[in-house]
Amino acid sequence: MLYNRKAWKHVFKLDPAKSLTSDQIREVCQSGTDAIVVGGTDNVTLEGVINLLSQIRMYSIPCVLEVSTVDAITPGFDFYDIPIVLNSQEKKWVLDAQHQAIKQFGPMIDWSELTTEGYVILNPEAKAYQLTNCYLPDREDVIAYAQMAEQMFNLPILYLEYSGTYGDPELVRQVKQHLNKTQLVYGGGITTLEQAKEMAQYADTIVVGNSLYDNFAESIETVHVKK
Amino acid sequence: MLYNRKAWKHVFKLDPAKSLTSDQIREVCQSGTDAIVVGGTDNVTLEGVINLLSQIRMYSIPCVLEVSTVDAITPGFDFYDIPIVLNSQEKKWVLDAQHQAIKQFGPMIDWSELTTEGYVILNPEAKAYQLTNCYLPDREDVIAYAQMAEQMFNLPILYLEYSGTYGDPELVRQVKQHLNKTQLVYGGGITTLEQAKEMAQYADTIVVGNSLYDNFAESIETVHVKK
């Protein structure tokens, strides 16, 4: 792909199980954000993904599918992000689900479009945390995951996910100090430009998602973090 | 480190829990092999590792510690290989043991000396297979692990381990076809030069270990695979 993901400072994440109006999707795509990520945890269906993709594709903006279920994979995205949940307590969410998908679809995969994301999910109330049976890591645990991501697995992305709640900027700052090649993505609870600016001091990329569905106008303003 | 591991065709693996005479260790080190790996599964102690290292260090040959327990790590090796067991059924052997070691020793680690090895253990009778609670993958499973190793985790090494038994050359051949950057290492049951040659057709590197303790003279002859 032609896009330099490393340069993305701000992305919006749209949930295929939730809805925005056509005007809102246009506004998101033309907001000046660097990319749109399509992803969710509950009720992600192929129909929902295709419906959202077709609306986003009306605009000239990079579009990423974050794969949560193989049933909802469809062609037409620029990238396919494969999460591995580092703080899950089950091998299923680190290797096995991904392994089964590769076993099934290996010959069809264009590896240049696939990006592995090391997730650390830090909000015990989040659906993804509960689905993947995570434990809550302490500060040293998270830093050790960052070192593994960069040094052992050469992961392109480490994703600190506070899904639904605003995280700890000090932890994000400390994790960033241990990463050089691996891109640090922060997501969770960003509803205002001030929060976006705070996390963008440390994270390479911030993800704004849920707040689009709660307070659309203020959420859109977070793109000004890029200035 | 100065050594180009990619160029290693043949290595001997010495078990710190087993013994060779000083003359035999000299012969191993001066055999023309590319490197010595120190590693084992049962009864690996710090004392045993240091004792073996000090004998190997009398000769000018690269020396690798394959880390099976953090208690037996000592300075002085050129490389430290960290196995992750892809076909283990427990997350412990994929991520958790390694994560705990990094959490404990992170600030002391020289990452340039550390190499992550993706293991697939293929002999159900092997101690390592039982210790790490593996399942026996089929051909497509192994190929999918190879693709994960190279494409998702950018692992420098994929290690097909038949420990104690001679493996399936056809599987090694097929796995090699799916690897470009990741180095394919084969270990298990090589007791003769003919077997060494057969596996070296497909694997980038072959490991000869147990046979040193069973039939030393014939085992040493396997280095001629390099010619």
Side-chain angles (χ1 to χ4, degrees):
Chain A
M1 238 307 130
L2 299 170
Y3 299 114
N4 176 18
R5 294 185 65 160
K6 293 263 180 198
W8 294 355
K9 297 289 179 200
H10 177 285
V11 307
F12 278 122
K13 187 185 278 192
L14 298 183
D15 187 334
K18 296 179 181 176
S19 59
L20 295 175
T21 68
S22 302
D23 282 349
Q24 286 176 321
I25 288 176
R26 177 178 46 74
E27 206 171 331
V28 168
C29 294
Q30 297 183 335
S31 64
T33 189
D34 293 305
I36 310 292
V37 176
V38 172
T41 302
D42 280 348
N43 304 314
V44 174
T45 65
L46 181 59
E47 187 185 5
V49 169
I50 289 177
N51 180 43
L52 196 48
L53 174 65
S54 68
Q55 293 186 76
I56 296 165
R57 277 298 185 223
M58 297 173 67
Y59 309 95
S60 177
I61 186 154
C63 192
V64 180
L65 180 63
E66 187 168 76
V67 177
S68 52
T69 167
V70 294
D71 299 333
I73 299 178
T74 185
F77 287 88
D78 299 303
F79 296 100
Y80 296 82
D81 286 358
I82 311 296
I84 64 169
V85 184
L86 297 170
N87 65 316
S88 169
Q89 298 178 91
E90 298 175 29
K91 191 192 171 212
K92 174 178 177 183
W93 303 104
V94 177
L95 273 189
D96 291 349
Q98 299 84 346
H99 180 243
Q100 287 308 308
I102 291 171
K103 187 179 178 183
Q104 193 177 351
F105 297 108
M108 296 167 56
I109 297 174
D110 177 350
W111 294 103
S112 68
E113 295 177 348
L114 191 144
T115 305
T116 310
E117 296 179 314
Y119 257 77
V120 183
I121 310 181
L122 292 160
N123 173 13
E125 305 301 318
K127 284 172 182 172
Y129 183 104
Q130 292 164 1
L131 175 71
T132 60
N133 191 18
C134 286
Y135 79 97
L136 189 61
D138 64 23
R139 192 178 61 88
E140 288 75 22
D141 284 324
V142 179
I143 288 169
Y145 282 131
Q147 293 176 303
M148 294 188 85
E150 172 149 325
Q151 305 285 356
M152 288 188 61
F153 297 120
N154 301 298
L155 298 182
I157 290 173
L158 181 76
Y159 195 130
L160 297 184
E161 173 62 280
Y162 280 90
S163 181
T165 190
Y166 189 67
D168 176 5
E170 174 59 16
L171 178 62
V172 181
R173 187 185 70 78
Q174 291 185 24
V175 168
K176 175 62 184 172
Q177 292 181 323
H178 290 84
L179 297 178
N180 289 298
K181 294 171 292 177
T182 298
Q183 184 175 1
L184 180 58
V185 175
Y186 171 85
I190 294 179
T191 57
T192 68
L193 178 56
E194 286 62 39
Q195 290 172 327
K197 284 179 174 169
E198 184 174 38
M199 288 303 183
Q201 291 177 267
Y202 313 121
D204 299 306
T205 309
I206 60 164
V207 181
V208 178
N210 288 338
S211 64
L212 283 171
Y213 301 93
D214 298 330
N215 187 338
F216 185 82
E218 188 158 21
S219 186
I220 286 286
E221 292 300 308
T222 59
V223 299
H224 295 303
V225 74
K226 292 183 62 189
K227 288 171 189 166
Chain B
M1 237 310 128
L2 300 169
Y3 300 113
N4 175 19
R5 295 186 63 161
K6 292 263 179 197
W8 294 355
K9 297 289 178 199
H10 176 287
V11 306
F12 278 123
K13 187 185 277 193
L14 297 183
D15 187 334
K18 297 179 182 175
S19 58
L20 295 175
T21 66
S22 301
D23 282 350
Q24 286 177 320
I25 289 177
R26 176 178 46 74
E27 207 172 328
V28 168
C29 293
Q30 296 183 336
S31 64
T33 188
D34 292 306
I36 310 292
V37 176
V38 172
T41 301
D42 279 348
N43 305 313
V44 174
T45 65
L46 181 59
E47 188 187 4
V49 169
I50 288 178
N51 180 43
L52 196 47
L53 174 65
S54 67
Q55 293 186 75
I56 297 164
R57 276 299 183 223
M58 297 173 68
Y59 309 96
S60 177
I61 186 155
C63 192
V64 180
L65 179 63
E66 186 167 77
V67 178
S68 52
T69 166
V70 294
D71 299 333
I73 299 178
T74 186
F77 287 87
D78 299 304
F79 295 100
Y80 296 83
D81 286 358
I82 311 296
I84 65 170
V85 184
L86 297 169
N87 65 317
S88 169
Q89 298 178 92
E90 298 175 30
K91 193 195 169 209
K92 174 179 178 182
W93 303 104
V94 177
L95 271 189
D96 291 348
Q98 300 83 346
H99 180 243
Q100 286 308 306
I102 291 172
K103 187 180 177 184
Q104 193 177 350
F105 298 109
M108 298 167 55
I109 297 173
D110 177 351
W111 295 103
S112 68
E113 295 177 348
L114 193 144
T115 305
T116 310
E117 296 179 315
Y119 257 77
V120 183
I121 311 181
L122 292 162
N123 173 13
E125 305 301 318
K127 285 172 181 171
Y129 183 103
Q130 291 163 3
L131 174 71
T132 61
N133 191 18
C134 286
Y135 78 97
L136 189 62
D138 64 23
R139 192 178 61 89
E140 288 74 22
D141 283 323
V142 178
I143 288 168
Y145 283 131
Q147 293 176 302
M148 292 188 84
E150 172 149 325
Q151 305 285 356
M152 287 187 61
F153 296 121
N154 301 296
L155 297 182
I157 290 172
L158 181 76
Y159 195 131
L160 298 184
E161 174 62 281
Y162 279 90
S163 181
T165 191
Y166 190 67
D168 176 5
E170 173 59 16
L171 178 62
V172 181
R173 188 186 70 78
Q174 291 185 22
V175 168
K176 175 61 184 172
Q177 292 181 324
H178 289 86
L179 297 178
N180 289 299
K181 294 171 292 176
T182 297
Q183 184 175 1
L184 181 58
V185 175
Y186 171 85
I190 294 179
T191 58
T192 67
L193 177 56
E194 286 61 41
Q195 289 172 328
K197 283 179 176 170
E198 183 173 40
M199 287 302 182
Q201 291 177 268
Y202 313 122
D204 299 304
T205 309
I206 60 163
V207 181
V208 178
N210 288 337
S211 65
L212 283 172
Y213 301 93
D214 298 330
N215 187 340
F216 185 82
E218 188 158 20
S219 187
I220 286 287
E221 292 299 309
T222 59
V223 299
H224 296 302
V225 72
K226 292 182 63 189
K227 287 170 188 167

